[in-house]
Amino acid sequence: MERRALRARDERRGGDGWLGGLLWITLIFLVAGTALVIGSGGFAQTTGTATTLTFQTGQVTAVGKTTIRINAREYSLSSEVVIRDDEGKPRELKDLTPGSDVKFHVKRDSIDQIILLLPR
């Protein structure tokens, strides 16, 4: 009788161990999957201090020394405007020509960041 009780107890522990192991494996996959999504930029892309979620999209219609016209609306350029292409490479104001597609960020009534969208 005592042997049967010990065997039943061991079987129950084995069953709990299997379920517990499955729960641990599931937890590990959830944590690892979340880390992969966050690490791969699965959330908002960032450029400097602003996320591209706050950027507007448009087409350059004219470029001046301190202003730029996008979608027929004129914007002032910040004195410290950052211009990059969509691959992250630095660009200059001269790279922005009428017809260029861009994403841009407006801060305090002037554009502080521009992303030049390269043709694909």
Side-chain angles (χ1 to χ4, degrees):
M1 179 79 171
E2 190 176 315
R3 251 184 201 188
R4 284 187 202 164
L6 289 174
R7 183 184 293 168
R9 186 190 69 188
D10 290 343
E11 286 175 2
R12 280 194 307 261
R13 284 187 179 166
D16 289 343
W18 177 83
L19 183 59
L22 181 62
L23 289 173
W24 275 108
I25 290 170
T26 303
L27 179 64
I28 289 169
F29 277 108
L30 284 172
V31 170
T34 302
L36 286 174
V37 168
I38 292 172
S40 67
F43 293 110
Q45 251 185 338
T46 59
T47 58
T49 58
T51 65
T52 56
L53 292 177
T54 61
F55 279 50
Q56 299 176 48
T57 304
Q59 190 172 62
V60 175
T61 52
V63 181
K65 290 182 180 182
T66 59
T67 61
I68 188 168
R69 188 173 289 269
I70 301 173
N71 295 339
R73 180 174 173 197
E74 190 162 288
Y75 296 91
S76 299
L77 293 172
S78 165
S79 59
E80 298 175 10
V81 65
V82 175
I83 304 171
R84 297 191 181 278
D85 62 27
D86 56 2
E87 295 176 350
K89 296 176 184 167
R91 295 297 187 131
E92 296 180 16
L93 193 57
K94 68 180 181 179
D95 296 321
L96 303 175
T97 58
S100 298
D101 291 320
V102 294
K103 286 188 173 187
F104 59 101
H105 183 260
V106 179
K107 184 177 181 181
R108 296 189 187 112
D109 298 326
S110 64
I111 294 178
D112 67 336
Q113 293 185 54
I114 299 175
I115 299 173
L116 174 62
L117 302 175
L118 300 173
R120 304 260 179 230

